[in-house]
Amino acid sequence: MTYLAVRTGRRLIDSRRNATGGIAAGTRAVRAAARSGAAANDGAAVASGNGGGNPGSGKPKRSPEGLTLVGGNGEVHQKLTWQLPSLQEPYRPFFGPLANCHVETIFAAVARSLPAVRFRRECLRMADGGTVALDWPVGGEALEGTTANGEVPPGTPWLILLPGLTGGSDDTYVRHMLVRARRAGWGAVVFNSRGCANSPVTSPQFYSASFTEDLRQVVRHVAALQPLARLYAAGWSLGANILVRYLAQEGEEVPLAGAVSLCNPFDLVLADKNFHIGFNNFYDQRLGSTLRGIYAGHASLFEGLGGEYDIELVARAKTVRDFDVGLTRVSFGYPSVDAYYYDASSCRSIPNVRLPLLCVQALDDPIAPADGIPYSEIEENPFTMLVGTSHGGHLGWVAGPEAPFGAPWPDVLTMEFLEALEKRAVEDESEGIPQETAHEKLFGRKEELEVVGEGDAGDESGRGAEAGRDGGIRVSW
């Protein structure tokens, strides 16, 4: 499914000004969310066994209060779990008994702080003519006291961040995770997909929940630039779905050393149906509007395509499904939108994951419903582990020491997990156990990518800027 992260900060506020007559509309939405909260919480699918339409015997274990832990039975996870302090304490939402999925989702989108970070943008031309943008942090108030990415010592671990659809380096949840990684001494880079965060669109194809080739090229590129480093990745929503599919496709050959999936919709057929229930229609309409706006800025690329494209439907799309029917499923060769949703679902990818993967889900998520989580598959795969929180909404997780305006609760857990993996790899190396870097795993796979241009990807206030086109260079390995 063409899944979106719910838009954050001023962008969502601005869209409400334009579409509904001001901030008061946002306030009305929050009030409506609160009214529907009791029903949403009562109906939320709290983990109780199987998920994702895949029968099995997985039984989630709830411990401590507010957390549901599934899997983690493999040797790697068993050694790591005790090193994750976040899993030793109860999960307590900031809003207490007033917390519900809609209030947390909307509050985080509107009120969460945006760390001040400056980026250097690098645009990579893909083999099919499309372009993606990598944003490398180089400074800003939030990074004071840290070194710029260009000064990170060789061999330092690197984290690739995959936002949700239409998300990018200007989103609050992405910025908070990036800042935490940099303050931990890691290198970090944001992978902005085609058309996201003001990245250029250079071909008549965006991206989708099923498409992993852009990520594959980005991993190779970062590995080439950081030949001594181990690479890790974290993705949210659509980015999480793409990441899990990529991990499964690579299998034993995956060049990453570990990964984290957050608020992954997993079963997109189920998620699509869930989108049209009650207050969830609000998100569907907001997301449909955002997709329509992205398309409008690049409509000339799609003129005269013919075939099964329904450009008129895309131009007036009111929902995510409208956009996928008219454009996405055709671009990626699916006979129907439901066939696309089924094939793109990452719930069936879990059995083929062959590296340590932490999945973090809010069990009341209105966009990534808990019924779609592949509990049994996570339980049975020794490489995978699920942490479910009783509350959190979608990209909300208003809990933890920085609540209500700071980083989402899973950020601390994510870095605990990744740092534990890196520590284990360093210890294994010291004991003479070889640990391949991503560059070593990919050695011999010569690919060529064109760097279209570089420029300032955004100022400290979070306003994205068009990628520079001041002369291209070519990068080969």
Side-chain angles (χ1 to χ4, degrees), residues 357-422:
L357 170 66
L358 172 65
C359 303
V360 188
Q361 302 285 129
L363 300 182
D364 67 348
D365 192 321
I367 293 176
D371 279 348
I373 300 172
Y375 296 105
S376 296
E377 288 73 8
I378 292 174
E379 175 90 32
E380 294 166 3
N381 187 337
F383 292 94
T384 59
M385 177 180 179
L386 168 70
V387 174
T389 59
S390 57
H391 297 79
H394 191 71
L395 297 173
W397 280 304
V398 185
E402 297 185 28
F405 302 111
W409 178 86
D411 283 16
V412 175
L413 173 62
T414 295
M415 283 311 301
E416 288 174 353
F417 177 74
L418 296 178
E419 288 187 294
L421 288 177
E422 178 65 13

Side-chain angles (χ1 to χ4, degrees), residues 222-245:
V222 177
L225 296 178
Q226 301 296 330
L228 301 180
R230 276 178 288 274
L231 303 186
Y232 300 82
W236 296 264
S237 198
L238 176 78
N241 191 85
I242 294 172
L243 175 59
V244 171
R245 283 175 52 82

Side-chain angles (χ1 to χ4, degrees), residues 120 122-125 221 448-454 470-476:
R120 176 182 64 83
E122 180 183 18
C123 293
L124 301 181
R125 182 66 54 83
H221 181 64
E448 187 171 6
L449 293 174
E450 179 182 0
V451 178
V452 179
E454 296 182 354
D470 51 350
I473 63 174
R474 300 189 71 83
V475 178
S476 301

